[in-house]
Amino acid sequence: QVQLVESGGGLVQAGGSLRLSCVASKRTFSGAAMGWFRQAPGKEREFVAAINWSGGSVTYTDSVKGRFTISRDNTKNTMYLQMNSLKPEDTAVYYCAAKSAWKNTGSKEYDYWGQGTQVTVSS
């Protein structure tokens, strides 16, 4: 069964840090490109970061470059998003997603999605 489960969200003050995790079933994770997206209230879901199977290629949206780091541990079927220097505008539900091919990683064309984890950054 396909499954992606996010964790690590919470409430943090501006300038603080959080690390999100996404645990996937082995079948979903193996060979997959993975991504993080977020959706703030009243806004469209937007791309945050993506990483290919080997971890050798990553991409970020401009607003998080230099603050967020995406990584993965293929031995644990887990992807991470280290978020530093958080800002109130980072407040959103964060979703992980998986797809088979490393292309169009910034679009929402992913095959599998998790249920999301809430990140709230207070000013």
Side-chain angles (χ1 to χ4, degrees), residues 52-101:
N52 73 340
W53 163 243
S54 70
S57 294
V58 297
T59 183
Y60 299 93
T61 192
D62 286 346
S63 63
V64 308
K65 285 180 180 176
R67 301 189 298 122
F68 291 10
T69 303
I70 190 171
S71 62
R72 66 192 293 166
D73 184 342
N74 291 344
T75 67
K76 298 181 179 179
N77 298 330
T78 302
M79 175 180 65
Y80 305 98
L81 186 67
Q82 178 67 44
M83 305 187 295
N84 299 328
S85 302
L86 282 161
K87 304 175 181 180
E89 51 264 44
D90 294 318
T91 295
V93 177
Y94 282 70
Y95 298 90
C96 68
K99 65 192 304 182
S100 58

Side-chain angles (χ1 to χ4, degrees), residues 5-12 17-23 36 78-83 86 92-94 116-121:
V5 180
E6 303 96 335
S7 63
L11 173 64
V12 64
S17 298
L18 284 174
R19 189 176 81 155
L20 306 184
S21 299
C22 173
V23 179
W36 287 100
T78 302
M79 175 180 65
Y80 305 98
L81 186 67
Q82 178 67 44
M83 305 187 295
L86 282 161
V93 177
Y94 282 70
T117 185
Q118 176 70 47
V119 171
T120 304
V121 184

Side-chain angles (χ1 to χ4, degrees), residues 8-45:
L11 173 64
V12 64
Q13 288 188 329
S17 298
L18 284 174
R19 189 176 81 155
L20 306 184
S21 299
C22 173
V23 179
S25 61
K26 185 175 181 179
R27 184 183 126 194
T28 303
F29 200 79
S30 181
M34 304 288 293
W36 287 100
F37 286 74
R38 64 186 180 187
Q39 187 167 16
K43 294 189 176 181
E44 293 281 323
R45 190 172 299 189

